[in-house]
Amino acid sequence: DQQVKQNSPSLSVQEGRISILNCDYTNSMFDYFLWYKKYPAEGPTFLISISSIKDKNEDGRFTVFLNKSAKHLSLHIVPSQPGDSAVYFCAASARNSGGSNYKLTFGKGTLLTVNP
Amino acid sequence: ETGVTQTPRHLVMGMTNKKSLKCEQHLGHNAMYWYKQSAKKPLELMFVYNFKEQTENNSVPSRFSPECPNSSHLFLHLHTLQPEDSALYLCASSQDWRGPRLETQYFGPGTRLLVL
């Protein structure tokens, strides 16, 4: 049962245009959401996050939107650059079943290709 | 060295072998994590260590045995693995495990494991 879903395995956009990466979740206990970026042969690196009490968080070219009623979040990259080409993972956080710590649940990732 | 390092980067082993993966973080963090990423699957949390104590075991088979001798080092001992255990194993660290703001998880580059 996949609690965090990224239904688009890949996305291709032109340099300078907007990239929109989508993520859906099913667990209403998730209270914090994150996006990670991963280049080949490297580990994921944190990009941007949003708390469940907000609906938007912006950091430079990156904006994350959260729609709690739809259990949907999206990452907007404007303008897209060739260096943004990577796999983007959506992740959600909730307390583990024992309540001792928070646990990240990841989506499968979306490969973004930004063409020059 | 800075950040999170993992050795070896690639490993091929037979089902009867015993091997160990090593992770080291140079960030002064208190929590360390092992994740598994199989082909076309999301990142899966395996183990969490906080101040050298294991606080999460995500129903991982006993053929995977973690060890955390101190806050900077984390090992994953492998014994009688199966071909389906072939995956990318990622180590991560964070300053604190207790809050939802897990954006401070820093990942290593991973060990690509192939079990024959």
Side-chain angles (χ1 to χ4, degrees), chain B residues 73-102:
Chain B
H73 293 86
L74 185 65
F75 295 89
L76 188 63
H77 304 298
L78 314 173
H79 177 50
T80 59
L81 295 193
Q82 305 298 311
E84 59 265 29
D85 296 322
S86 299
L88 178 67
Y89 289 85
L90 287 158
C91 173
S93 72
S94 68
Q95 179 61 42
D96 196 306
W97 79 98
R98 289 169 293 181
R101 296 184 64 83
L102 296 176

Side-chain angles (χ1 to χ4, degrees), chain B residues 15-82:
Chain B
M15 290 189 284
T16 58
N17 292 157
K18 288 184 182 181
K19 296 286 184 184
S20 295
L21 308 185
K22 178 182 176 182
C23 175
E24 185 173 0
Q25 57 96 0
H26 310 269
L27 301 167
H29 288 166
N30 300 313
M32 296 188 78
Y33 311 78
W34 278 117
Y35 286 89
K36 175 184 177 183
Q37 186 176 25
S38 304
K40 298 184 180 179
K41 287 188 177 180
L43 271 164
E44 300 171 63
L45 179 66
M46 299 174 74
F47 301 104
V48 180
Y49 276 82
N50 303 293
F51 293 96
K52 303 186 296 178
E53 299 296 322
Q54 189 181 122
T55 57
E56 180 95 22
N57 178 335
N58 204 24
S59 303
V60 181
S62 59
R63 58 186 183 269
F64 295 91
S65 175
E67 179 191 1
C68 189
N70 54 61
S71 293
S72 299
H73 293 86
L74 185 65
F75 295 89
L76 188 63
H77 304 298
L78 314 173
H79 177 50
T80 59
L81 295 193
Q82 305 298 311

Side-chain angles (χ1 to χ4, degrees), chain A residues 25-63:
Chain A
Y25 62 95
T26 57
N27 187 346
S28 58
M29 299 303 292
F30 288 140
D31 56 8
Y32 206 78
F33 303 89
L34 309 92
W35 285 94
Y36 279 81
K37 177 167 116 172
K38 185 179 184 302
Y39 292 117
E42 294 183 15
T45 55
F46 168 73
L47 193 58
I48 192 169
S49 62
I50 187 167
S51 166
S52 59
I53 62 173
K54 295 187 175 180
D55 54 20
K56 178 182 174 182
N57 187 26
E58 190 173 351
D59 183 3
R61 296 186 297 115
F62 303 90
T63 304

